Amino acid sequence: MRNFITRSLRGKLVILFLLVGLIPIAIVGYTAWTSGRETIKQKTLDDLISTGEAREYAIKMVLQLRLQEIDILGIIELVQNAIESWNKKEKGEKIDETALKTGVDNFIQTELPEFSSVTPFFEYTFVGETGKVYFSTDKSLAQADLSRDAKFQRGIKKAFIQDMQADKKTGRTFYEVVVPVFPHEATHKAATGVIMAKLEPRLINEIVL
């Protein structure tokens, strides 16, 4: 009987010692596992945030570049002079029709294609100060009155980028850059017209994906 009690006590002590030793180990192990899991989760979250911020910055840079490209198109002297001449003609003022036609033809046949070859834009619309379309690569807009168009009204005041949308006819996804055009003479500060240029979001899609 005594041996049984002794063995029983010894067994209980062994179990107790094991529990006393294993419980701290288990606690430490669980704490380490939990901490490691949280560390991994936090690192993953930080990586996702960092990637998102990098992509956001890249997209902003692309959009800024597109604005600058159309700004460059708008400060070409030939474009500035053509829009001014069109505006004068619209008001009934006398202009050099031959010089206007020669300049515009040269721009349409030479300079605009060259510009398009180094930029992603595929459609251009040039609008006068009253909202009348003087030239567009979209033939359906020829001589259109955009005076009440929200894009024109906003663009005559400040450059901006229109949100992405799908073309109603082709389903082609695009966004549009709209910038004001100013006179070649620096003394005139009011915008004389607007350029609207469309492009596909290919580079943006590559950044996002």
Side-chain angles (χ1 to χ4, degrees):
M1 184 71 176
R2 185 176 178 181
N3 288 338
F4 172 77
I5 294 173
T6 302
R7 284 197 300 271
S8 177
L9 287 173
R10 186 180 297 124
K12 288 179 180 178
L13 288 172
V14 170
I15 292 172
L16 178 62
F17 290 146
L18 285 173
L19 288 175
V20 169
L22 291 175
I23 287 175
I25 294 173
I27 292 173
V28 170
Y30 176 77
T31 302
W33 175 78
T34 303
S35 176
R37 185 179 67 173
E38 291 302 316
T39 299
I40 292 172
K41 285 171 63 179
Q42 187 60 50
K43 186 177 186 308
T44 301
L45 181 60
D46 290 343
D47 288 345
L48 288 173
I49 291 173
S50 178
T51 301
E53 290 176 346
R55 287 178 175 173
E56 181 182 6
Y57 178 77
I59 290 172
K60 286 181 178 178
M61 292 298 98
V62 169
L63 296 178
Q64 186 62 38
L65 173 63
R66 300 310 177 218
L67 275 172
Q68 291 173 348
E69 286 171 338
I70 300 302
D71 267 335
I72 291 172
L73 187 63
I75 61 174
I76 295 175
E77 186 176 352
L78 195 156
V79 172
Q80 295 172 321
N81 291 340
I83 290 180
E84 284 190 75
S85 294
W86 275 323
N87 284 338
K88 290 178 180 179
K89 183 179 179 181
E90 188 68 13
K91 294 174 184 176
E93 297 180 26
K94 188 175 181 179
I95 63 168
D96 188 336
E97 295 273 2
T98 302
L100 175 60
K101 185 179 186 307
T102 300
V104 170
D105 287 347
N106 177 60
F107 174 73
I108 294 173
Q109 295 170 14
T110 305
E111 296 197 34
L112 189 58
E114 287 180 0
F115 180 83
S116 296
S117 69
V118 294
T119 65
F121 298 94
F122 65 84
E123 186 176 295
Y124 307 86
T125 300
F126 296 81
V127 190
E129 60 189 358
T130 63
K132 183 175 181 179
V133 175
Y134 292 140
F135 169 74
S136 178
T137 53
D138 179 357
K139 303 303 180 184
S140 68
L141 290 176
Q143 301 299 306
D145 181 5
L146 301 182
S147 58
R148 296 185 179 182
D149 183 85
K151 287 186 297 184
F152 167 74
Q153 292 176 347
R154 182 180 175 187
I156 197 75
K157 299 174 183 177
K158 186 179 180 181
F160 72 96
I161 295 178
Q162 184 80 357
D163 292 338
M164 290 188 196
Q165 54 191 296
D167 187 280
K168 295 179 181 178
K169 297 178 182 178
T170 64
R172 190 179 190 181
T173 301
F174 70 91
Y175 63 101
E176 197 164 9
V177 177
V178 184
V179 301
V181 178
F182 294 91
H184 183 64
E185 295 295 332
T187 53
H188 298 85
K189 296 182 180 180
T192 55
V194 168
I195 298 176
M196 303 176 180
K198 295 180 180 179
L199 70 160
E200 291 181 309
R202 292 178 182 175
L203 184 53
I204 291 178
N205 288 341
E206 290 177 6
I207 293 171
V208 172
L209 299 177

